[in-house]
């Protein structure tokens, strides 16, 4: 079933932070019904799963450390010049618009650039006042990241940029995954539905009951 639901993934999910190339890491990116689908209809048990990574404090963690509270997950990287920071700012703005009495989920940024995104680099990055309060950065070995990305059907690819100071950038799936307290996917947000007002309304619906 999920393969049928992924037909529009390329249009929804894959964001080139710099280069404009659309490539994935072997698995199709996750989608479920298109950008116009209701936020309550984008929950599939095939998306999401366990991981073992290192947080920005240098501590080894797994998904078990975040169970018991809703969690919003974003795969990105700190050298991303536009898509990643703008997405994180949108999340922060959405949290500010949540209905009264609805607590924002904990927020995880999982790096798909472990070569540069050390815990120290992530610690500096997630401290930005423009990003969600309490944002946690996660990194690990290439194998660790690949395993986590596969669980969420996230595609990413290194793109060499020899004419830039950064030397390379990363193409990657740009989706937000809302996991429930039981670590089951409740919904996801694509770039086309990360308007803070729309996100806040969806989160309010899913987390306010």
């Amino acid at each position: 079933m999920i393969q049928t639901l992924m037909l529009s993934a390329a249009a929804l999910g894959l964001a080139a932070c710099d280069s404009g190339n659309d490539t994935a890491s072997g698995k199709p990116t996750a989608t479920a019904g298109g950008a116009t689908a209701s936020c309550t209809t984008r929950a599939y048990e095939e998306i999401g799963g366990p991981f073992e990574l290192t947080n920005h404090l240098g501590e080894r963690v797994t998904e078990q450390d975040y169970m018991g509270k809703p969690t919003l997950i974003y795969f990105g990287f700190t050298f991303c010049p536009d898509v990643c920071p703008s997405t994180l700012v949108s999340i922060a703005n959405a949290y500010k618009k949540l209905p009264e009495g609805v607590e924002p989920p904990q927020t995880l940024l999982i790096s798909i650039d472990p070569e540069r995104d050390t815990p120290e680099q992530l610690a500096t990055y997630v401290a930005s006042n423009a990003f969600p309060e309490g944002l946690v950065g996660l990194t690990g070995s290439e194998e660790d990241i690949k395993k986590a990305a596969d669980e969420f059907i996230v595609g990413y690819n290194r793109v060499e940029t020899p004419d830039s100071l950064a030397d390379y950038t990363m193409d990657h799936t740009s989706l937000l995954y809302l996991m429930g307290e039981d670590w089951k996917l409740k919904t996801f947000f694509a770039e086309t539905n990360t308007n803070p007002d729309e996100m806040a309304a969806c989160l309010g619906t899913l987390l306010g009951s």
Side-chain angles (χ1 to χ4, degrees), residues 11-28:
L12 276 178
L14 195 62
C17 273
D18 194 41
S19 70
N21 294 327
D22 286 354
T23 49
S25 65
K27 278 196 173 185

Side-chain angles (χ1 to χ4, degrees), residues 123-144:
T124 299
Y125 189 77
V126 301
S128 171
N129 291 330
F131 295 164
E133 184 177 355
L135 176 64
V136 174
L138 298 176
T139 188
S141 67
E142 291 187 9
E143 182 180 4
D144 292 338

Side-chain angles (χ1 to χ4, degrees), residues 15-67:
C17 273
D18 194 41
S19 70
N21 294 327
D22 286 354
T23 49
S25 65
K27 278 196 173 185
T29 47
T31 182
T36 60
S38 165
C39 78
T40 60
T41 66
R42 298 192 294 260
Y44 297 95
E45 62 181 15
E46 298 92 338
I47 300 173
F51 64 74
E52 185 173 354
L53 297 166
T54 301
N55 68 18
H56 65 265
L57 300 177
E59 302 165 335
R60 200 67 172 167
V61 296
T62 73
E63 79 289 347
Q64 296 289 330
D65 293 284
Y66 303 103
M67 292 180 69

Side-chain angles (χ1 to χ4, degrees), residues 40-165:
T40 60
T41 66
R42 298 192 294 260
Y44 297 95
E45 62 181 15
E46 298 92 338
I47 300 173
F51 64 74
E52 185 173 354
L53 297 166
T54 301
N55 68 18
H56 65 265
L57 300 177
E59 302 165 335
R60 200 67 172 167
V61 296
T62 73
E63 79 289 347
Q64 296 289 330
D65 293 284
Y66 303 103
M67 292 180 69
K69 183 178 180 180
T71 303
L72 192 68
I73 300 172
Y74 182 60
F75 286 78
F77 66 113
T78 66
F79 281 74
C80 178
D82 41 39
V83 174
C84 301
S86 64
T87 300
L88 292 170
V89 169
S90 292
I91 296 170
N93 289 335
Y95 289 173
K96 295 174 184 176
K97 296 174 179 287
L98 286 173
E100 185 176 356
V102 176
E103 293 293 323
Q106 55 194 350
T107 314
L108 308 182
L109 168 64
I110 299 180
S111 174
I112 44 82
D113 185 16
E115 180 176 328
R116 294 182 294 202
D117 284 344
T118 62
E120 295 78 13
Q121 171 67 18
L122 281 170
T124 299
Y125 189 77
V126 301
S128 171
N129 291 330
F131 295 164
E133 184 177 355
L135 176 64
V136 174
L138 298 176
T139 188
S141 67
E142 291 187 9
E143 182 180 4
D144 292 338
I145 299 301
K146 179 66 165 57
K147 287 181 178 178
D150 284 350
E151 292 291 344
F152 286 85
I153 319 181
V154 167
Y156 62 94
N157 185 59
R158 174 170 169 153
V159 179
E160 302 297 329
T161 57
D163 295 330
S164 74
L165 293 176

